[in-house]
Amino acid sequence: MAAQSAAALERKREENIAKKEAERKQKIQEIKQRKAELKLQREEHQSLKQTLEREEELRRLELAKKREENIKAREAQRKERAKTEVAPKSARGHGTKYSKSEILMMKEVFDSYDTDGSGEMTVSELKQALHKYKEGDRTKNSTLQNAFMLCEPVRAPHECHTCRRRFGWFGVRIAGCP
């Protein structure tokens, strides 16, 4: 009887061990399955995020392209109008001396000699422009010649307000002027 009860206990113990081992394997399997599901969700989320980022970048590029096209179209329209129109009177009631086409021509010349693109012409940039004009073939560069003919020379160094008045209509000034 003692041998039977010891064998029964041993069997019961092995059944409990097998049961616990099966439960442990099931839990491990559930954890693996849950991890796989979470990994799949993360990958789907990452994929969706990348797709949204690509779409956003394409939208930004498309908007930039449209903006650039609109700017070019407006500039072309402005140049067409400037060929025929005279610049409007300012808010103070004074008329301007130059037509829009002359202003745009002078701005174009200014931009070509503003080498650093700062919107200001330094003394060295002005000297380079004048040397190029002096040394160059004036018949080939009629735009530059016309622009220099339109501008009156500054009479004295202390007349910096003249520079500002002369170049102020397109929002620039000669660097170094107070």
Side-chain angles (χ1 to χ4, degrees):
M1 180 87 149
Q4 273 185 333
S5 69
L9 281 175
E10 188 65 31
R11 208 175 338 111
K12 194 170 189 179
R13 185 173 151 245
E14 287 182 21
E15 286 176 4
N16 283 337
I17 290 174
K19 182 180 174 184
K20 288 202 181 214
E21 188 67 27
E23 287 175 0
R24 188 179 66 79
K25 284 182 180 181
Q26 185 179 358
K27 282 183 181 182
I28 289 173
Q29 198 64 7
E30 288 173 359
I31 290 172
K32 285 182 180 179
Q33 185 179 4
R34 186 167 178 249
K35 283 183 178 182
E37 289 172 359
L38 289 174
K39 182 180 179 183
L40 184 62
Q41 286 177 354
R42 278 193 304 270
E43 289 172 354
E44 287 175 355
H45 179 71
Q46 189 68 20
S47 174
L48 180 62
K49 185 178 176 182
Q50 288 174 351
T51 303
L52 291 174
E53 287 173 353
R54 275 187 254 129
E55 288 175 358
E56 181 66 23
E57 183 63 26
L58 289 174
R59 188 184 66 79
R60 273 191 236 124
L61 291 174
E62 191 174 307
L63 283 175
K65 183 179 176 183
K66 284 182 182 179
R67 214 175 283 127
E68 190 67 32
E69 289 172 357
N70 286 339
I71 290 171
K72 286 180 182 178
R74 278 187 266 140
E75 282 294 321
Q77 289 173 352
R78 190 176 301 131
K79 284 183 180 182
E80 276 300 312
R81 283 194 312 256
K83 288 180 182 177
T84 58
E85 293 180 2
V86 175
K89 293 186 176 185
S90 66
R92 295 180 299 194
H94 301 288
T96 59
K97 186 175 178 179
Y98 306 106
S99 69
K100 278 189 176 181
S101 61
E102 291 171 332
I103 290 171
L104 288 174
M105 178 184 56
M106 285 189 276
K107 180 169 178 10
E108 186 177 316
V109 170
F110 177 85
D111 288 342
S112 70
Y113 288 108
D114 181 22
T115 55
D116 60 0
S118 65
E120 295 182 349
M121 185 173 275
T122 61
V123 174
S124 64
E125 288 173 334
L126 183 60
K127 284 180 184 178
Q128 287 175 357
L130 292 173
H131 284 293
K132 284 182 184 178
Y133 173 69
K134 183 178 177 183
E135 294 170 1
D137 183 7
R138 292 186 184 115
T139 58
K140 288 182 182 176
N141 201 350
S142 62
T143 304
L144 180 61
Q145 185 178 7
N146 291 338
F148 277 115
M149 288 171 65
L150 288 171
C151 293
E152 298 171 17
V154 176
R155 290 185 184 85
H158 65 276
E159 293 183 7
C160 291
H161 64 280
T162 307
C163 298
R164 273 196 227 123
R165 187 179 75 231
R166 192 146 293 107
F167 293 107
W169 31 260
F170 52 80
V172 295
R173 64 180 183 84
I174 294 179
C177 290

